[in-house]
Amino acid sequence: EQSEILFSKNAFMQRTIDQFVANGMLVALVDTPSDQQEDLSVKFRKTEDHVKDIEGVISNIRQGHKDIPVYLIGISRGGVSVAYIAKHLKGKVAGIVSMSGHLADRNSVGLRGFDYKALKQRILMVSHKNEGCPHTRYSDWLDIAREYNIPLISVTGGYQQLEKSAGDRFPE
């Protein structure tokens, strides 16, 4: 069922949703919970309330699609969400993709120190080699990927360059 996207239409997932659907995937984009409209903080993303919110979304999807694997994709602070949700929902989540996951800032610790060995699901990390945000530095993600033996896709260039270089090689 297609519904209107109420949040930023220019973010990565919103721009690429058609590519996921074209490859046979069911996509559910989750916006900020109504009780967290002020700020979906890193602290909230680590809570049982957040896990329950996403568990509800997964349960709702499973009503019509019982046997499909669920993969969570998180970008920046969303990387905190998917890691903690996968840790708590174990078998309900087949894997996660963390794209430029938020490690830490002056107000909070995101994924810095997260124990990826606690996850039994599949994990994929994606980071831009020239990442400009000090909270999601490529060199930090390269170290984490090596420490935990997690695949890391290293991206270079901008959207147009990436689209051109990937061509028809998007994974099915």
Side-chain angles (χ1 to χ4, degrees):
E1 178 179 325
Q2 185 76 21
S3 57
E4 182 181 355
I5 296 174
L6 301 176
F7 34 73
S8 172
K9 293 178 173 102
N10 294 321
F12 173 78
M13 289 303 299
Q14 290 80 343
R15 285 193 327 264
T16 60
I17 192 168
D18 293 338
Q19 293 172 3
F20 286 92
V21 172
N23 282 289
M25 297 178 195
L26 172 68
V27 179
L29 297 177
V30 180
D31 201 354
T32 306
S34 58
D35 61 346
Q36 296 294 316
Q37 289 296 310
E38 292 296 316
D39 178 28
L40 187 55
S41 68
V42 169
K43 182 178 177 182
F44 175 76
R45 291 169 186 273
K46 297 178 179 182
T47 67
E48 187 175 323
D49 285 344
H50 189 45
V51 171
K52 285 181 181 178
D53 286 345
I54 302 305
E55 184 175 29
V57 172
I58 293 169
S59 294
N60 197 13
I61 290 169
R62 290 221 184 271
Q63 287 178 8
H65 307 277
K66 294 187 183 343
D67 297 325
I68 63 169
V70 173
Y71 287 83
L72 305 175
I73 300 174
I75 302 168
S76 191
R77 288 183 179 187
V80 177
S81 291
V82 300
Y84 279 87
I85 291 164
K87 179 180 175 183
H88 293 285
L89 293 185
K90 297 179 180 22
K92 294 181 181 181
V93 175
I96 65 168
V97 179
S98 182
M99 300 175 68
S100 297
H102 179 86
L103 291 166
D105 60 35
R106 67 180 179 278
N107 298 316
S108 64
V109 173
L111 291 169
R112 175 124 12 246
F114 183 82
D115 182 13
Y116 283 96
K117 289 179 185 172
L119 300 184
K120 303 306 177 207
Q121 300 94 331
R122 299 174 84 182
I123 305 169
L124 176 63
M125 295 179 176
V126 180
S127 186
H128 197 288
K129 285 187 173 184
N130 297 315
E131 175 63 63
C133 178
H135 312 303
T136 61
R137 287 192 313 240
Y138 173 77
S139 59
D140 293 333
W141 281 110
L142 185 59
D143 290 344
I144 291 168
R146 287 178 178 154
E147 178 181 349
Y148 290 98
N149 196 30
I150 297 171
L152 171 68
I153 295 176
S154 302
V155 180
T156 60
Y159 180 74
Q160 295 295 331
Q161 186 176 353
L162 175 61
E163 186 178 56
K164 181 180 177 186
S165 68
D168 61 357
R169 294 189 309 262
F170 285 105
E172 295 182 2

